[in-house]
Amino acid sequence: MGIYDRLDVRDNCGFGLIAHMGGKASHRLVRTAIAGLARMAHRGGIAADGKTGDGCGILLQKPDSFFRAVAKEEGWMLGAKYGVGMIFLNQKSAHAKRAKSIIVEELVAETLTVVGWRHVPIQPDVLGELARTTLPKIVQVFISAPSGWGTKDLERRLFMVRRRIEKRLQ
């Protein structure tokens, strides 16, 4: 067998990456990313409703000030080092409840504190009917690390937690 193995092939029509080399946040970068995304309409199937696609989008880093403002609105105290996880829960309440329970168990096992859960505001009316039937519950979990932890400590623990959660939920 050579380098090529047809079982390893995964089709992708397109991928774009836009970044400021100095790490500066910029609305211009976001506008450019949206323009690029709009030009990738061909990359996946669109259902007959003209609205249901394959879920392409943009990923960007939210500033610390945004998450601290959200936490303040909710009455939560974030530690010096914290994390925010984007969680896509099953629509069925029993499955969602089980997943949240596993997430909390694994975070606590790594001595992380769950500060709170936030329901992410969404606009389901812009989705096609088919997309709405499979729309997950989108929530964020806010997590604080014990005082004295460095960034690498938190990142390593969150990575391990994520892997264990994935394995338990498979």
Side-chain angles (χ1 to χ4, degrees):
M1 179 189 279
I3 295 174
Y4 173 78
D5 182 351
R6 65 181 179 81
L7 297 175
D8 287 335
V9 174
R10 308 286 188 274
D11 280 338
N12 291 306
C13 290
F15 175 86
L17 175 67
I18 301 170
H20 187 281
M21 294 302 288
K24 276 183 72 176
S26 163
H27 187 69
R28 181 173 176 245
L29 286 177
V30 175
R31 284 194 323 267
T32 303
I34 291 170
L37 183 62
R39 289 179 175 89
M40 292 178 68
H42 74 281
R43 67 165 244 134
I46 302 281
D49 63 9
K51 291 183 172 184
T52 303
D54 67 351
C56 55
I58 65 172
L59 176 65
L60 54 93
Q61 181 179 359
K62 295 274 191 175
D64 174 66
S65 59
F66 171 80
F67 288 120
R68 292 209 179 267
V70 167
K72 185 176 179 180
E73 285 175 18
E74 297 289 340
W76 301 333
M77 288 295 302
L78 291 177
K81 297 286 182 209
Y82 70 93
V84 179
M86 288 296 296
I87 313 291
F88 300 94
L89 296 171
N90 194 298
Q91 290 179 354
K92 295 179 180 170
S93 294
H95 294 301
K97 186 176 179 180
R98 178 179 174 268
K100 283 176 81 171
S101 175
I102 288 170
I103 291 166
V104 170
E105 285 174 23
E106 293 298 343
L107 289 166
V108 169
E110 289 294 334
T111 66
L112 294 161
T113 302
V114 175
V115 177
W117 293 86
R118 173 182 182 245
H119 290 275
V120 176
I122 60 171
Q123 296 178 329
D125 54 310
V126 301
L127 300 174
E129 186 177 329
L130 181 59
R132 279 195 303 271
T133 64
T134 60
L135 179 68
K137 293 178 184 177
I138 305 172
V139 297
Q140 291 173 322
V141 59
F142 284 65
I143 305 148
S144 281
S147 62
W149 277 23
T151 301
K152 294 290 184 195
D153 299 319
L154 178 59
E155 289 175 0
R156 183 176 53 81
R157 299 283 183 111
L158 289 174
F159 175 79
M160 293 178 350
V161 164
R162 189 194 66 168
R163 293 294 296 143
R164 287 198 310 266
I165 291 167
E166 288 171 349
K167 287 177 187 275
R168 286 183 66 185
L169 291 175
Q170 277 182 341

